[in-house]
Amino acid sequence: TTTSMLVKNEIGCAPSGFEPWGAHRQRRIGILLNPQSGTNRSGFDACSQLLAQHKHIIHREVVTPEDVAAALVEMAAKQVDVLAVCGGDGTVQATLTALFHTKPFDARPPLALLAGGTTNMTAADVGIEGKPARALQRLLDWSAGSGSMGHIERRSVLRVDRGPDCTPFFGMFFSAAGIVQVTRARWDTRRRASSHVMRGALGTALMVGRYLLGLALGRRVVEPTSIAIRLDGQTFDPADYLALFITTLVRLSPGIYPYWGEEAGPLRYTAVAYQPRHLLLVAPSLLRGKRNRYLTPEFGYTSKNIHEAVLQLETECALDGQLFDRPRQHPLMITNGGEAEFLRL
């Protein structure tokens, strides 16, 4: 049985052996491919050529959430054993929302995530490593009963409720305040970027670094966001926030684990006040989730493991990088929406 090491503070993740059909039996794979996702725009032909050599593999091109939902109904009817998603974080979020809300499968299949998007934060944490074509080849080898032994990681999935008249969203990384402002700015710079490199993770890292430098120098690089918060029944007065996020991911990018709560809740919550103190001294510890004497609520830094967050705010938010407006007459509620299984190879 293949197992994986649990990293520090790994919550809602339970690796286990995964050979329900025996070592050499074929698995029925269904693949969702988003040709408009970032990395797929340059690597889509390679994936298409691979799939052309495997006529029995069920695959559908999807772009919108409606495309995803329709494809999943078809794949459920064809009884796929494993569902692969080759796209970005938004495509993964649309897939999770359809799987957990409309529930086309009697039993949700494991997900195999291929990093076909631009940032691919979810796939980097619980997906199959490598560029899409290479990862797809490994998945196809595994589905044929050869290649590496697979194992499963189980993770809690966020459920975001916006009010009784709104469809809930399901995903892995909820963000508000300055993170959303930077996300929107990044979308604009990505559209204007002339090179693939600057449209990708490097461009994102450079932009975030520029914002952090501006904050450290005391510049007003993002606007304050007033949020009233209730965490597991404990109410906090409205305050201005620089950043706030809730996630079930273990790492946000290599070496970055910005949470240090010790509670038993399945959701990681981290918030930074609008004018935190000692930001330069705190930044390395904050990014690595390592306590130091300044990384405390008194100085503007809070991290907890929670079961439920209720947020009252007037600005847009994001789930897995997809921006959405919050209906003003209802607070946002973020809870544990259930567990998803992710295939690792």
Side-chain angles (χ1 to χ4, degrees), residues 18-37:
F18 185 54
E19 275 302 301
W21 303 288
H24 301 292
R25 180 175 170 184
Q26 283 194 346
R27 291 85 167 182
R28 189 187 299 271
I29 304 290
I31 303 178
L32 305 179
L33 303 106
N34 187 342
Q36 294 186 15
S37 294

Side-chain angles (χ1 to χ4, degrees), residues 261-330:
E262 297 178 351
E263 301 82 0
L267 315 181
R268 299 180 180 88
Y269 165 93
T270 297
V272 180
Y274 183 66
Q275 292 181 320
R277 297 170 62 186
H278 309 296
L279 182 59
L280 283 177
L281 295 174
V282 164
S285 296
L286 190 154
L287 294 176
R288 294 297 298 251
K290 293 184 176 181
R291 292 181 178 275
N292 72 21
R293 61 177 178 161
Y294 299 117
L295 200 62
T296 65
E298 291 73 23
F299 291 114
Y301 310 94
T302 301
S303 188
K304 296 176 177 289
N305 300 326
I306 62 172
H307 293 86
E308 175 188 276
V310 180
L311 310 178
Q312 187 75 51
L313 70 167
E314 301 297 330
T315 57
E316 63 185 356
C317 305
L319 184 62
D320 296 326
Q322 304 301 299
L323 301 175
F324 63 89
D325 290 326
R326 190 203 63 75
R328 296 189 177 184
Q329 64 272 29
H330 297 288

Side-chain angles (χ1 to χ4, degrees), residues 30 82 95 159 212 345:
V82 175
T95 302
R159 173 180 173 132
L212 288 175
L345 297 175

Side-chain angles (χ1 to χ4, degrees), residues 4-339:
S4 68
M5 296 296 292
L6 293 177
V7 303
K8 179 179 75 68
N9 264 352
E10 189 157 358
I11 298 169
C13 173
S16 63
F18 185 54
E19 275 302 301
W21 303 288
H24 301 292
R25 180 175 170 184
Q26 283 194 346
R27 291 85 167 182
R28 189 187 299 271
I29 304 290
I31 303 178
L32 305 179
L33 303 106
N34 187 342
Q36 294 186 15
S37 294
T39 301
N40 281 346
R41 291 174 184 168
S42 58
F44 190 74
D45 288 345
C47 290
S48 296
Q49 291 170 10
L50 267 178
L51 291 172
Q53 301 169 21
H54 297 79
K55 303 292 187 182
H56 64 287
I57 298 294
I58 304 165
H59 57 94
R60 296 292 180 266
E61 293 186 17
V62 296
V63 176
T64 67
E66 292 76 18
D67 295 340
V68 170
L72 291 181
V73 169
E74 180 182 357
M75 291 183 178
K78 294 184 178 181
Q79 299 180 320
V80 303
D81 298 317
V82 175
L83 180 64
V85 183
C86 184
D89 291 329
T91 308
V92 176
Q93 184 257 310
T95 302
L96 290 171
T97 295
L99 287 174
F100 280 81
H101 180 60
T102 59
K103 302 179 180 179
F105 290 84
D106 292 333
R108 283 189 298 270
L111 296 172
L113 305 186
L114 314 181
T118 302
T119 52
N120 303 300
M121 192 158 60
T122 304
D125 191 39
V126 288
I128 299 175
E129 293 182 1
K131 293 184 177 180
R134 182 178 178 183
L136 178 58
Q137 182 65 70
R138 291 170 62 196
L139 178 63
L140 294 173
D141 290 343
W142 175 86
S143 73
S146 60
S148 59
M149 179 83 75
H151 73 272
I152 285 292
E153 289 189 17
R154 295 184 180 90
R155 294 289 179 85
S156 294
V157 173
L158 303 177
R159 173 180 173 132
V160 180
D161 285 289
R162 299 169 293 153
D165 299 325
C166 297
T167 299
F169 293 141
F170 293 80
M172 306 295 283
F173 184 83
F174 169 86
S175 57
I179 297 176
V180 174
Q181 296 176 41
V182 174
T183 297
R184 179 170 288 284
R186 178 59 181 141
W187 278 17
D188 294 338
T189 59
R190 187 176 291 152
R191 283 193 293 267
R192 296 194 301 267
S194 58
S195 70
H196 175 72
V197 171
M198 292 307 295
R199 287 194 295 269
L202 177 60
T204 299
L206 290 174
M207 183 172 191
V208 171
R210 180 165 59 86
Y211 272 83
L212 288 175
L213 179 60
L215 289 169
L217 295 175
R219 297 172 183 167
R220 192 182 177 99
V221 296
V222 295
E223 296 300 314
T225 299
S226 178
I227 309 176
I229 300 172
R230 188 171 76 241
L231 302 177
D232 290 342
Q234 182 181 4
T235 300
F236 299 85
D237 292 334
D240 288 340
Y241 286 87
L242 175 66
L244 183 152
F245 65 84
I246 303 170
T247 186
T248 55
L249 298 174
V250 171
R251 67 169 190 171
L252 302 188
S253 64
I256 297 181
Y257 313 88
Y259 13 76
W260 54 94
E262 297 178 351
E263 301 82 0
L267 315 181
R268 299 180 180 88
Y269 165 93
T270 297
V272 180
Y274 183 66
Q275 292 181 320
R277 297 170 62 186
H278 309 296
L279 182 59
L280 283 177
L281 295 174
V282 164
S285 296
L286 190 154
L287 294 176
R288 294 297 298 251
K290 293 184 176 181
R291 292 181 178 275
N292 72 21
R293 61 177 178 161
Y294 299 117
L295 200 62
T296 65
E298 291 73 23
F299 291 114
Y301 310 94
T302 301
S303 188
K304 296 176 177 289
N305 300 326
I306 62 172
H307 293 86
E308 175 188 276
V310 180
L311 310 178
Q312 187 75 51
L313 70 167
E314 301 297 330
T315 57
E316 63 185 356
C317 305
L319 184 62
D320 296 326
Q322 304 301 299
L323 301 175
F324 63 89
D325 290 326
R326 190 203 63 75
R328 296 189 177 184
Q329 64 272 29
H330 297 288
L332 280 174
M333 180 178 292
I334 299 96
T335 56
N336 180 5
E339 281 193 340

